[in-house]
Amino acid sequence: MNVMTIMWNDTELTSGPLPLWWQIADRLRRSIEHGEFKAGDVLPSEALLNETFGVSRTTARAALDRLEQEGLILRKAGRGSVVLDPKVEQPLSRLSSFAEDMRQRGLSASYQTLGISLAPISGEAAKEIGVEAGRPALHIERVLKADGLPMALSDAWIHPGVIGDAPLPSPSEFDNRSLYDWLETSFGARIVGGSETIEAAIADRRMARHLEIPVGSAMLVARRRSLGRDKTPIEYVVVSYRADRYRFTVDLVRS
């Protein structure tokens, strides 16, 4: 550990404008960031925080509540405050494949292919890519993983004009390959832009089973319409992300 890193209990709290609970939360947050506490570790209990800093149980609880609200820990009865894996951040201004996102963060992307088929395209997807509802189109469902851990559930439709009469790939081929890479190398269909909407949702039984989370867990659902070089639609995909593992960021400019 860096010798300049301040341990969570190295110094006393200070009187002043910053509330004591905020100071404790900040200490623990920095300890997580610097590796003093790693994913799976248990933070000091409320009782230990009370003893260490001479604060009330309410103050200690408020500090831990704040870290849980920030998605850094999960408080479990009988176990305490467990440090979670860091969230993956996705800038909203950049369109990239899941594999590219993970590679830029030093993580290894992998996939579990749930299904590949030619199926009647749904009304929502048909509208987004400009074909009649019910027309056969390539439908791909996959679990997206980072370092082997499930991050999201992807439900993608490909415009029928992209692949034509080409044979369908096997599920095993897609377990280790980016969809964007396959589209570009096999058909010259390079995705260069698009539009995306994001909304909150909760995990149903199917999501929970594939993403290894409890039913009712918080989700981030992104609906993306992806375009090729000539601005024609190539893909429509709904990606349901675990909210405890993923977050979106955006740079703002004041005009």
Side-chain angles (χ1 to χ4, degrees):
M1 182 178 295
N2 191 320
V3 296
M4 297 302 293
T5 298
I6 297 177
M7 303 288 285
W8 72 272
N9 57 352
D10 271 355
T11 57
E12 296 180 355
L13 304 180
T14 61
S15 59
L18 295 177
L20 298 181
W21 68 264
W22 189 97
Q23 295 182 52
I24 295 172
D26 186 58
R27 294 278 188 84
L28 296 173
R29 185 188 302 107
R30 285 186 288 136
S31 291
I32 293 172
E33 292 172 351
H34 293 148
E36 183 179 351
F37 298 109
K38 299 179 175 60
D41 289 347
V42 178
L43 292 187
S45 65
E46 290 180 12
L48 182 54
L49 294 175
N50 300 342
E51 178 183 345
T52 301
F53 297 112
V55 297
S56 68
R57 197 175 189 88
T58 300
T59 298
R61 185 179 301 116
L64 294 173
D65 285 345
R66 179 56 178 264
L67 297 180
E68 186 172 38
Q69 292 166 7
E70 294 175 4
L72 296 177
I73 64 172
L74 179 63
R75 306 188 71 187
K76 296 183 177 181
R79 285 198 61 192
S81 301
V82 181
V83 178
L84 297 174
D85 288 298
K87 292 187 178 183
V88 172
E89 291 190 355
Q90 168 62 39
L92 289 174
S93 57
R94 186 180 71 239
L95 192 157
S96 55
S97 71
F98 180 77
E100 291 167 338
D101 287 342
M102 296 305 101
R103 190 160 50 245
Q104 290 170 359
R105 290 160 179 78
L107 303 174
S108 176
S110 61
Y111 312 90
Q112 178 188 352
T113 305
L114 304 177
I116 297 179
S117 63
L118 280 178
I121 191 169
S122 68
E124 177 184 342
K127 180 180 178 181
E128 291 294 333
I129 63 176
V131 300
E132 62 273 19
R135 180 177 176 182
L138 179 60
H139 185 213
I140 304 171
E141 295 180 281
R142 298 196 294 176
V143 178
L144 311 181
K145 299 182 178 183
D147 285 350
L149 298 175
M151 298 286 286
L153 190 63
S154 172
D155 187 341
W157 292 91
I158 306 302
H159 193 289
V162 172
I163 66 169
D165 297 326
L168 296 182
S170 66
S172 60
E173 179 181 355
F174 266 82
D175 281 345
N176 297 290
R177 191 172 190 183
S178 162
L179 174 59
Y180 285 11
D181 174 68
W182 177 74
L183 288 170
E184 185 171 357
T185 57
S186 300
F187 306 102
R190 178 174 175 79
I191 291 175
V192 299
S195 59
E196 187 169 83
T197 60
I198 301 168
E199 60 187 359
I202 58 174
D204 58 22
R205 291 187 180 277
R206 183 170 183 273
M207 291 178 183
R209 182 175 72 256
H210 289 303
L211 298 180
E212 301 175 10
I213 55 177
V215 173
S217 297
M219 303 289 294
L220 293 171
V221 179
R223 290 176 165 81
R224 178 188 298 175
R225 177 174 177 262
S226 303
L227 307 176
R229 296 185 184 92
D230 57 359
K231 306 302 180 184
T232 58
I234 291 178
E235 170 208 41
Y236 178 68
V237 61
V238 179
V239 186
S240 301
Y241 296 94
R242 288 176 51 165
D244 66 334
R245 298 293 312 280
Y246 219 88
R247 63 184 176 190
F248 293 89
T249 61
V250 59
D251 293 327
L252 302 175
V253 178
R254 186 178 183 183
S255 58

